[in-house]
Amino acid sequence: QVQLQESGPGLVQPSQTLSLTCTVSGDSISSGGYYWSWIRQHPEKGLEWIGYIYYSGSTYYSPSLKSRVTISVDTSKTQFSLKLSSVTAADTAVYYCAHTRGLGSHFDYWGRGALVTVSS
Amino acid sequence: QSVLTQPPSVSGAPGQRVTISCTGSSSNIGAGYDVHWYQQVPGTAPKVVFFVKDNRPSGVSDRFSASKSGTSDSLAITGLQAEDEADYYCQSYDNSLSTWVFGGGTKLTVL
């Protein structure tokens, strides 16, 4: 059973960089052909996929956020991270990390979510 | 504006059957990509309740089912119970955006 847990600052100042880490247990990020994603949910709104890092280390980002997003994996292969630069209040959301087995697949494991508020 | 379109809300009395529609296009549902459905209780992460063509995770009631027609998919919940009250989201893959896409969500109210 894969378990995911987000961590990071809950408050970020406008124009700064939002940084979150997802700790993975029960599996290794480098094993299998899985995709490790970040998804966010604005307050009282729907879900928005941000980007993924593949087990091989390759990444792909949502075109709408591509210029500001970086997803990376640490050398231990037990954590992957999200960096979102130049944030504004519109980036205030609950950020989830999630796991899926393929492009046509569903997200079968999710973290509990981390609320990040952008405010001065 | 979500790529997949869902009604904002549906409601039904206990014991009734409700359906939630998810309308896409030729680059996602119409292209043959599977539609998956999630249930989200406020304050918690989404939980998949139906995936691929005919699969429910262990522990999910068989009162949940889904069907596809053209560029749309529908989640049906029979024998509605109070515990079904939640937000429901559909999700698929879009080959023109090369991204996973979600519906805007539907709030199910059990009257």
Side-chain angles (χ1 to χ4, degrees):
Chain A
Q1 177 92 358
V2 176
Q3 293 186 313
L4 306 170
Q5 178 64 60
E6 305 87 352
S7 59
L11 181 65
V12 180
Q13 295 203 341
S15 80
Q16 299 302 301
T17 296
L18 177 159
S19 296
L20 291 172
T21 296
C22 181
T23 300
V24 179
S25 58
D27 199 356
S28 170
I29 294 171
S30 60
S31 67
Y34 304 144
Y35 297 80
W36 304 86
S37 284
W38 286 97
I39 296 165
R40 70 180 181 180
Q41 185 170 33
H42 295 100
E44 306 300 321
K45 299 291 185 183
L47 300 161
E48 178 184 19
W49 177 77
I50 298 171
Y52 72 70
I53 186 161
Y54 193 39
Y55 81 106
S56 63
S58 62
T59 56
Y60 189 82
Y61 307 129
S62 169
S64 64
L65 295 169
K66 181 179 180 180
S67 63
R68 299 194 291 132
V69 173
T70 302
I71 298 176
S72 60
V73 61
D74 77 344
T75 54
S76 70
K77 305 297 185 184
T78 61
Q79 294 183 325
F80 64 105
S81 299
L82 168 70
K83 291 189 185 302
L84 182 65
S85 63
S86 305
V87 297
T88 69
D91 295 308
T92 293
V94 174
Y95 287 76
Y96 295 99
C97 53
H99 165 282
T100 185
R101 299 172 189 271
L103 295 181
S105 295
H106 62 290
F107 295 94
D108 48 5
Y109 300 109
W110 297 68
R112 297 177 66 177
L115 173 62
V116 179
T117 302
V118 179
S119 175
S120 55
Chain B
Q1 203 78 321
S2 300
V3 174
L4 305 179
T5 301
Q6 298 179 235
S9 63
V10 298
S11 62
Q16 285 189 331
R17 177 181 185 269
V18 296
T19 60
I20 300 172
S21 62
C22 175
T23 302
S25 67
S26 59
S27 60
N28 41 69
I29 300 174
Y33 292 101
D34 291 317
V35 179
H36 318 293
W37 289 92
Y38 301 84
Q39 177 191 67
Q40 186 180 34
V41 174
T44 68
K47 178 186 79 168
V48 62
V49 292
F50 207 88
F51 63 96
V52 193
K53 294 179 176 57
D54 192 21
N55 291 275
R56 279 182 303 275
S58 173
V60 173
S61 171
D62 60 4
R63 296 183 296 105
F64 289 82
S65 63
S67 61
K68 178 179 175 179
S69 178
T71 58
S72 295
D73 202 274
S74 291
L75 177 72
I77 309 172
T78 59
L80 207 57
Q81 299 179 3
E83 66 194 44
D84 300 329
E85 189 163 287
D87 296 320
Y88 290 84
Y89 294 89
C90 60
Q91 174 247 313
S92 187
Y93 184 80
D94 189 288
N95 62 19
S96 69
L97 298 172
S98 297
T99 67
W100 286 285
V101 290
F102 290 93
T106 299
K107 181 176 181 59
L108 169 61
T109 300
V110 180
L111 302 171

